[in-house]
Amino acid sequence: KRRILFVCPPLHILLSGAFCKTQLIMGLNFHFPVALLSLISASAVRVDLETSNKKEWPSCPYPYTYLNEDTTQMIGGDKPITCHKMSTGNGNTCPELQQARLISARRYQAANYNDFLERAQNFKLSPVFDKTDKIRGLESYEEMVQYHVQGLMHPDVVKIEDKILLKKLAEDLKIPATEMYYGAHKDDWDIQAFKNTLGVLCLKGIDSFIIKAVHLAWSKGQKIVRNWQKDCEQKATTNAAIDELADFVDKEIMNQLASPADKHLREYVTPGVTMEALFKTGGMSKRPLEAKVQTLWGKVHHIFFVGQDPRGCTSYIGAWQYNRDKTGWDFNGMLGGKEKRDEISELVLNKAFDELVTHSENFATAVGADVMRVDFFIGFNDDNSVDYKLNEAESVSGARYYHERDGLARAWVDGYVNSGRLRMTPQKWNQIYQETEDARAANQLD
């Protein structure tokens, strides 16, 4: 027999009537019909004692330690979870594994090179990402990224970089995204409406959320709020907390500009704020797990994972990665090798991978990006189902791509060459000539 427990929310923020008293929060009276109260309070605080038992995720089965308590650098080892840029040695502690990783990346690139070029043939490039005038045909990956950065100085970049517009685009493309409780640009910023929304979060039982600046990079203008319901318990703490957050948004977001280094954000993206649901991966994860999906010419090239899985295993860039054909590696070793697939990796591959690929390719194609990274939060449920929500889109990835960079560059550049987009000029040819002669001289060739 099912047992249902109903917990009465804090009286000072709920409704008037026989059971609760209306409370004035920052000058805002929250009056709702009793029927609405029943719906809100039931959805917010109803606890099903039979079905609330949480799955007991095992602890991380892969041992790793950090250099010291004040660093995020792991002690390097020979396993995937301990051999990457964020470990001592920067990945030099597992030469056999690095060789296998390089082989995996190159085999995928060799098998898919022509497909990337065919996709480039008729790919509809946005002016933001079109490098036709710059390409000479011999660029490295890093040169292409620099062209990419330069191209962001275009008014259309706002469609991707503005987090409010990104939510709208995701909705139009039917891509699941984290819920936005509030969003406003500086020209329609209403501090009282923002405070009102914070009060509503109290009523709805929302306990955590994140505030983000839509126009700032590198986590500036970002604040994570946890245990919000505790602040909602008493009138004084509720009002003080609401005041503090509203003041933060007003001073640290609405009246701040992007740094000069982020010229495209400073020039084209209007200051603004979003308040969104704080995603939880579940289990013992203390930092959401993200799948960062790298696309090229509208096709997924590879996916790497950053954050913590539900067992508390920490993944840094390079520790866990898939190619689009589901080759690659996870915490337990190379996929398709003698090692058994990792349990969490298996869940992602079977229950989220295909959808992540589809949504990322649809997104990159819709925005006309030759290269784009699409980042998703990954969550794990008690029934072993896997959730994913779009977090953000990164026009420029800071990942080094040690194993992939050369192959990425060739398919990226040759997409322009083979599609006929390249426009050779005397200046470009002079550069090709000089680069070739310099390379021969540097290697002491006649």
Side-chain angles (χ1 to χ4, degrees):
K1 190 173 182 179
R2 299 181 70 182
R3 296 173 295 145
I4 305 298
L5 173 67
F6 288 90
V7 182
C8 186
L11 296 179
H12 79 283
I13 59 169
L14 283 181
L15 315 180
S16 60
F19 306 105
C20 302
K21 179 182 179 181
T22 298
Q23 175 62 41
L24 185 71
I25 300 177
M26 297 309 303
L28 303 171
N29 282 293
F30 290 96
H31 295 287
F32 298 91
V34 173
L36 180 57
L37 168 60
S38 299
L39 290 173
I40 293 176
S41 62
S43 64
V45 300
R46 177 180 181 271
V47 180
D48 188 329
L49 296 180
E50 180 179 84
T51 60
S52 63
N53 295 326
K54 297 294 183 182
K55 175 173 178 175
E56 292 289 335
W57 293 94
S59 59
C60 185
Y62 310 102
Y64 59 89
T65 55
Y66 292 95
L67 191 59
N68 57 62
E69 294 181 358
D70 300 323
T71 184
T72 56
Q73 189 175 33
M74 287 183 178
I75 300 295
D78 60 358
K79 302 300 183 184
I81 198 169
T82 57
C83 192
H84 42 72
K85 180 179 181 291
M86 292 300 293
S87 62
T88 55
N90 303 122
N92 72 0
T93 57
C94 61
E96 290 184 1
L97 176 60
Q98 295 291 32
Q99 178 176 319
R101 286 169 168 172
L102 187 61
I103 290 172
S104 175
R106 293 298 175 85
R107 283 179 176 170
Y108 171 75
Q109 290 169 338
N112 289 271
Y113 174 79
N114 287 336
D115 187 45
F116 281 114
L117 267 57
E118 288 174 8
R119 288 172 180 257
Q121 194 73 31
N122 298 307
F123 191 84
K124 188 174 181 181
L125 277 168
S126 162
V128 177
F129 303 106
D130 192 348
K131 303 165 184 62
T132 296
D133 292 337
K134 297 181 174 68
I135 293 289
R136 68 183 183 281
L138 291 181
E139 285 83 358
S140 68
Y141 173 74
E142 287 71 24
E143 285 179 280
M144 292 297 290
V145 171
Q146 181 55 238
Y147 291 164
H148 209 61
V149 171
Q150 294 170 11
L152 297 180
M153 287 299 295
H154 189 285
D156 287 351
V157 76
V158 69
K159 299 174 184 177
I160 304 162
E161 297 290 349
D162 188 310
K163 295 178 179 67
I164 296 175
L165 299 183
L166 178 64
K167 293 287 186 186
K168 178 62 170 63
L169 177 58
E171 181 181 356
D172 292 343
L173 296 174
K174 295 181 170 54
I175 300 176
T178 50
E179 182 179 357
M180 184 171 71
Y181 302 132
Y182 178 88
H185 292 103
K186 188 171 184 178
D187 52 5
D188 58 0
W189 163 240
D190 184 336
I191 194 168
Q192 201 64 23
F194 178 74
K195 291 180 177 182
N196 189 9
T197 301
L198 290 169
V200 171
L201 296 185
C202 280
L203 292 173
K204 289 185 174 181
I206 303 299
D207 198 44
S208 57
F209 51 90
I210 183 169
I211 295 171
K212 298 179 180 179
V214 306
H215 62 296
L216 302 178
W218 309 107
S219 299
K220 293 180 180 177
Q222 188 175 108
K223 180 182 281 291
I224 294 175
V225 178
R226 293 188 174 91
N227 302 315
W228 181 242
Q229 289 304 306
K230 186 174 182 180
D231 286 325
C232 296
E233 289 176 357
Q234 301 294 330
K235 176 181 177 180
T237 58
T238 303
N239 292 347
I242 288 176
D243 265 345
E244 180 183 346
L245 291 178
D247 187 62
F248 169 80
V249 172
D250 201 46
K251 293 180 179 178
E252 301 299 324
I253 295 180
M254 292 303 182
N255 287 295
Q256 298 294 324
L257 293 175
S259 71
D262 297 308
K263 294 180 181 178
H264 63 293
L265 299 177
R266 192 179 180 95
E267 181 74 19
Y268 297 114
V269 182
T270 301
V273 64
T274 65
M275 182 162 56
E276 304 176 23
L278 187 63
F279 190 90
K280 296 179 180 179
T281 287
M284 290 178 278
S285 174
K286 295 181 180 179
R287 175 189 173 192
L289 183 67
E290 283 190 81
K292 297 179 178 289
V293 187
Q294 182 64 61
T295 66
L296 173 64
W297 295 116
K299 176 180 177 176
V300 168
H301 186 275
H302 67 279
I303 305 174
F304 64 94
F305 294 83
V306 173
Q308 282 191 334
D309 74 11
R311 301 165 301 185
C313 297
T314 298
S315 182
Y316 285 119
I317 297 175
W320 173 10
Q321 181 169 307
Y322 304 137
N323 300 315
R324 192 190 187 278
D325 62 0
K326 297 187 179 180
T327 58
W329 57 91
D330 59 28
F331 289 149
N332 210 37
M334 302 304 298
L335 302 184
K338 60 182 180 180
E339 297 88 353
K340 182 181 178 181
R341 279 182 179 174
D342 173 72
E343 174 190 2
I344 300 302
S345 173
E346 189 80 17
L347 286 176
V348 173
L349 283 169
N350 291 338
K351 301 186 176 183
F353 181 91
D354 292 341
E355 290 82 1
L356 293 174
V357 166
T358 298
H359 289 311
S360 298
E361 292 182 346
N362 287 345
F363 182 89
T365 301
V367 300
D370 49 356
V371 162
M372 174 63 64
R373 204 185 78 200
V374 191
D375 297 351
F376 293 87
F377 288 129
I378 307 294
F380 299 85
N381 303 312
D382 297 342
D383 61 358
N384 282 339
S385 59
V386 179
D387 292 331
Y388 55 87
K389 300 285 186 182
L390 176 68
N391 175 29
E392 60 186 356
E394 290 286 355
S395 300
V396 179
S397 177
R400 302 304 196 257
Y401 296 153
Y402 300 105
H403 309 92
E404 303 81 20
R405 52 185 288 277
D406 185 61
L408 270 171
R410 296 285 58 78
W412 194 356
V413 172
D414 289 350
Y416 281 91
V417 176
N418 286 25
S419 65
R421 290 185 174 91
L422 171 67
R423 296 290 182 267
M424 186 57 68
T425 65
Q427 293 76 19
K428 289 180 181 180
W429 182 256
N430 287 343
Q431 189 172 353
I432 290 174
Y433 172 85
Q434 194 59 52
E435 286 173 342
T436 304
E437 294 301 317
D438 289 346
R440 292 188 66 83
N443 288 280
Q444 299 178 345
L445 299 173
D446 292 336

PDB file of all heavy atoms in Angstrom, residues 76-95:
ATOM      1  N   GLY A  76      49.530  11.517 -12.222  1.00  0.00           N
ATOM      2  CA  GLY A  76      49.464  10.799 -13.489  1.00  0.00           C
ATOM      3  C   GLY A  76      49.633   9.301 -13.316  1.00  0.00           C
ATOM      4  O   GLY A  76      50.400   8.832 -12.477  1.00  0.00           O
ATOM      5  N   GLY A  77      48.904   8.541 -14.145  1.00  0.00           N
ATOM      6  CA  GLY A  77      48.990   7.086 -14.121  1.00  0.00           C
ATOM      7  C   GLY A  77      48.835   6.518 -15.513  1.00  0.00           C
ATOM      8  O   GLY A  77      48.875   7.251 -16.506  1.00  0.00           O
ATOM      9  N   ASP A  78      48.628   5.203 -15.589  1.00  0.00           N
ATOM     10  CA  ASP A  78      48.532   4.568 -16.902  1.00  0.00           C
ATOM     11  C   ASP A  78      47.101   4.245 -17.306  1.00  0.00           C
ATOM     12  O   ASP A  78      46.871   3.598 -18.319  1.00  0.00           O
ATOM     13  CB  ASP A  78      49.382   3.299 -16.942  1.00  0.00           C
ATOM     14  CG  ASP A  78      48.954   2.266 -15.903  1.00  0.00           C
ATOM     15  OD1 ASP A  78      48.023   2.548 -15.118  1.00  0.00           O
ATOM     16  OD2 ASP A  78      49.549   1.175 -15.883  1.00  0.00           O
ATOM     17  N   LYS A  79      46.114   4.683 -16.510  1.00  0.00           N
ATOM     18  CA  LYS A  79      44.710   4.452 -16.823  1.00  0.00           C
ATOM     19  C   LYS A  79      44.090   5.718 -17.419  1.00  0.00           C
ATOM     20  O   LYS A  79      44.550   6.836 -17.156  1.00  0.00           O
ATOM     21  CB  LYS A  79      43.936   4.041 -15.567  1.00  0.00           C
ATOM     22  CG  LYS A  79      44.478   2.788 -14.877  1.00  0.00           C
ATOM     23  CD  LYS A  79      44.426   1.581 -15.805  1.00  0.00           C
ATOM     24  CE  LYS A  79      44.908   0.326 -15.076  1.00  0.00           C
ATOM     25  NZ  LYS A  79      44.960  -0.852 -15.987  1.00  0.00           N
ATOM     26  N   PRO A  80      43.021   5.570 -18.213  1.00  0.00           N
ATOM     27  CA  PRO A  80      42.409   6.748 -18.848  1.00  0.00           C
ATOM     28  C   PRO A  80      42.042   7.853 -17.870  1.00  0.00           C
ATOM     29  O   PRO A  80      42.214   9.040 -18.174  1.00  0.00           O
ATOM     30  CB  PRO A  80      41.169   6.167 -19.522  1.00  0.00           C
ATOM     31  CG  PRO A  80      41.530   4.748 -19.822  1.00  0.00           C
ATOM     32  CD  PRO A  80      42.384   4.310 -18.668  1.00  0.00           C
ATOM     33  N   ILE A  81      41.542   7.480 -16.687  1.00  0.00           N
ATOM     34  CA  ILE A  81      41.076   8.498 -15.747  1.00  0.00           C
ATOM     35  C   ILE A  81      42.220   9.315 -15.161  1.00  0.00           C
ATOM     36  O   ILE A  81      42.020  10.428 -14.668  1.00  0.00           O
ATOM     37  CB  ILE A  81      40.244   7.834 -14.622  1.00  0.00           C
ATOM     38  CG1 ILE A  81      39.380   8.878 -13.906  1.00  0.00           C
ATOM     39  CG2 ILE A  81      41.133   7.083 -13.625  1.00  0.00           C
ATOM     40  CD1 ILE A  81      38.348   8.288 -12.975  1.00  0.00           C
ATOM     41  N   THR A  82      43.464   8.786 -15.227  1.00  0.00           N
ATOM     42  CA  THR A  82      44.613   9.487 -14.635  1.00  0.00           C
ATOM     43  C   THR A  82      45.662   9.896 -15.658  1.00  0.00           C
ATOM     44  O   THR A  82      46.765  10.304 -15.285  1.00  0.00           O
ATOM     45  CB  THR A  82      45.293   8.597 -13.575  1.00  0.00           C
ATOM     46  OG1 THR A  82      45.679   7.352 -14.175  1.00  0.00           O
ATOM     47  CG2 THR A  82      44.368   8.339 -12.398  1.00  0.00           C
ATOM     48  N   CYS A  83      45.353   9.823 -16.942  1.00  0.00           N
ATOM     49  CA  CYS A  83      46.337  10.169 -17.965  1.00  0.00           C
ATOM     50  C   CYS A  83      45.737  11.153 -18.955  1.00  0.00           C
ATOM     51  O   CYS A  83      45.040  10.769 -19.900  1.00  0.00           O
ATOM     52  CB  CYS A  83      46.834   8.906 -18.674  1.00  0.00           C
ATOM     53  SG  CYS A  83      48.302   9.218 -19.697  1.00  0.00           S
ATOM     54  N   HIS A  84      46.009  12.445 -18.735  1.00  0.00           N
ATOM     55  CA  HIS A  84      45.436  13.515 -19.550  1.00  0.00           C
ATOM     56  C   HIS A  84      46.151  14.816 -19.206  1.00  0.00           C
ATOM     57  O   HIS A  84      47.069  14.832 -18.360  1.00  0.00           O
ATOM     58  CB  HIS A  84      43.932  13.640 -19.288  1.00  0.00           C
ATOM     59  CG  HIS A  84      43.571  13.531 -17.838  1.00  0.00           C
ATOM     60  ND1 HIS A  84      43.835  14.520 -16.915  1.00  0.00           N
ATOM     61  CD2 HIS A  84      43.001  12.509 -17.141  1.00  0.00           C
ATOM     62  CE1 HIS A  84      43.433  14.149 -15.717  1.00  0.00           C
ATOM     63  NE2 HIS A  84      42.923  12.922 -15.823  1.00  0.00           N
ATOM     64  N   LYS A  85      45.738  15.892 -19.793  1.00  0.00           N
ATOM     65  CA  LYS A  85      46.396  17.185 -19.594  1.00  0.00           C
ATOM     66  C   LYS A  85      46.358  17.648 -18.141  1.00  0.00           C
ATOM     67  O   LYS A  85      47.259  18.350 -17.681  1.00  0.00           O
ATOM     68  CB  LYS A  85      45.731  18.238 -20.481  1.00  0.00           C
ATOM     69  CG  LYS A  85      46.335  19.629 -20.375  1.00  0.00           C
ATOM     70  CD  LYS A  85      45.624  20.587 -21.303  1.00  0.00           C
ATOM     71  CE  LYS A  85      46.236  21.988 -21.227  1.00  0.00           C
ATOM     72  NZ  LYS A  85      45.959  22.637 -19.926  1.00  0.00           N
ATOM     73  N   MET A  86      45.329  17.242 -17.408  1.00  0.00           N
ATOM     74  CA  MET A  86      45.180  17.694 -16.036  1.00  0.00           C
ATOM     75  C   MET A  86      45.802  16.733 -15.022  1.00  0.00           C
ATOM     76  O   MET A  86      45.467  16.742 -13.847  1.00  0.00           O
ATOM     77  CB  MET A  86      43.703  17.907 -15.714  1.00  0.00           C
ATOM     78  CG  MET A  86      43.080  19.070 -16.454  1.00  0.00           C
ATOM     79  SD  MET A  86      43.878  20.650 -16.089  1.00  0.00           S
ATOM     80  CE  MET A  86      43.436  20.842 -14.361  1.00  0.00           C
ATOM     81  N   SER A  87      46.716  15.891 -15.480  1.00  0.00           N
ATOM     82  CA  SER A  87      47.452  15.010 -14.572  1.00  0.00           C
ATOM     83  C   SER A  87      48.938  15.355 -14.655  1.00  0.00           C
ATOM     84  O   SER A  87      49.399  15.941 -15.639  1.00  0.00           O
ATOM     85  CB  SER A  87      47.234  13.542 -14.939  1.00  0.00           C
ATOM     86  OG  SER A  87      47.708  13.260 -16.243  1.00  0.00           O
ATOM     87  N   THR A  88      49.683  14.999 -13.638  1.00  0.00           N
ATOM     88  CA  THR A  88      51.126  15.246 -13.671  1.00  0.00           C
ATOM     89  C   THR A  88      51.728  14.524 -14.866  1.00  0.00           C
ATOM     90  O   THR A  88      51.396  13.380 -15.150  1.00  0.00           O
ATOM     91  CB  THR A  88      51.788  14.755 -12.375  1.00  0.00           C
ATOM     92  OG1 THR A  88      51.454  13.372 -12.167  1.00  0.00           O
ATOM     93  CG2 THR A  88      51.324  15.562 -11.175  1.00  0.00           C
ATOM     94  N   GLY A  89      52.595  15.220 -15.570  1.00  0.00           N
ATOM     95  CA  GLY A  89      53.149  14.673 -16.799  1.00  0.00           C
ATOM     96  C   GLY A  89      52.363  15.055 -18.024  1.00  0.00           C
ATOM     97  O   GLY A  89      52.781  14.790 -19.163  1.00  0.00           O
ATOM     98  N   ASN A  90      51.185  15.684 -17.823  1.00  0.00           N
ATOM     99  CA  ASN A  90      50.350  16.135 -18.946  1.00  0.00           C
ATOM    100  C   ASN A  90      50.033  15.021 -19.937  1.00  0.00           C
ATOM    101  O   ASN A  90      49.891  15.264 -21.134  1.00  0.00           O
ATOM    102  CB  ASN A  90      51.011  17.309 -19.684  1.00  0.00           C
ATOM    103  CG  ASN A  90      51.304  18.480 -18.762  1.00  0.00           C
ATOM    104  OD1 ASN A  90      52.456  18.896 -18.642  1.00  0.00           O
ATOM    105  ND2 ASN A  90      50.299  18.990 -18.097  1.00  0.00           N
ATOM    106  N   GLY A  91      49.950  13.786 -19.443  1.00  0.00           N
ATOM    107  CA  GLY A  91      49.595  12.667 -20.310  1.00  0.00           C
ATOM    108  C   GLY A  91      50.765  11.793 -20.717  1.00  0.00           C
ATOM    109  O   GLY A  91      50.580  10.852 -21.501  1.00  0.00           O
ATOM    110  N   ASN A  92      51.969  12.049 -20.179  1.00  0.00           N
ATOM    111  CA  ASN A  92      53.131  11.262 -20.610  1.00  0.00           C
ATOM    112  C   ASN A  92      53.323   9.983 -19.791  1.00  0.00           C
ATOM    113  O   ASN A  92      54.289   9.252 -19.991  1.00  0.00           O
ATOM    114  CB  ASN A  92      54.408  12.103 -20.578  1.00  0.00           C
ATOM    115  CG  ASN A  92      54.903  12.398 -19.157  1.00  0.00           C
ATOM    116  OD1 ASN A  92      54.311  11.988 -18.168  1.00  0.00           O
ATOM    117  ND2 ASN A  92      55.990  13.159 -19.078  1.00  0.00           N
ATOM    118  N   THR A  93      52.395   9.714 -18.862  1.00  0.00           N
ATOM    119  CA  THR A  93      52.548   8.548 -17.990  1.00  0.00           C
ATOM    120  C   THR A  93      51.896   7.287 -18.566  1.00  0.00           C
ATOM    121  O   THR A  93      51.928   6.239 -17.921  1.00  0.00           O
ATOM    122  CB  THR A  93      51.935   8.837 -16.605  1.00  0.00           C
ATOM    123  OG1 THR A  93      50.554   9.213 -16.767  1.00  0.00           O
ATOM    124  CG2 THR A  93      52.689   9.957 -15.910  1.00  0.00           C
ATOM    125  N   CYS A  94      51.306   7.383 -19.755  1.00  0.00           N
ATOM    126  CA  CYS A  94      50.622   6.219 -20.339  1.00  0.00           C
ATOM    127  C   CYS A  94      50.911   6.119 -21.840  1.00  0.00           C
ATOM    128  O   CYS A  94      50.003   6.209 -22.667  1.00  0.00           O
ATOM    129  CB  CYS A  94      49.112   6.307 -20.107  1.00  0.00           C
ATOM    130  SG  CYS A  94      48.343   7.766 -20.857  1.00  0.00           S
ATOM    131  N   PRO A  95      52.164   5.948 -22.242  1.00  0.00           N
ATOM    132  CA  PRO A  95      52.500   5.953 -23.671  1.00  0.00           C
ATOM    133  C   PRO A  95      51.727   4.933 -24.493  1.00  0.00           C
ATOM    134  O   PRO A  95      51.346   5.227 -25.629  1.00  0.00           O
ATOM    135  CB  PRO A  95      54.013   5.673 -23.675  1.00  0.00           C
ATOM    136  CG  PRO A  95      54.335   5.103 -22.332  1.00  0.00           C
ATOM    137  CD  PRO A  95      53.364   5.728 -21.387  1.00  0.00           C
TER     138      PRO A  95
END
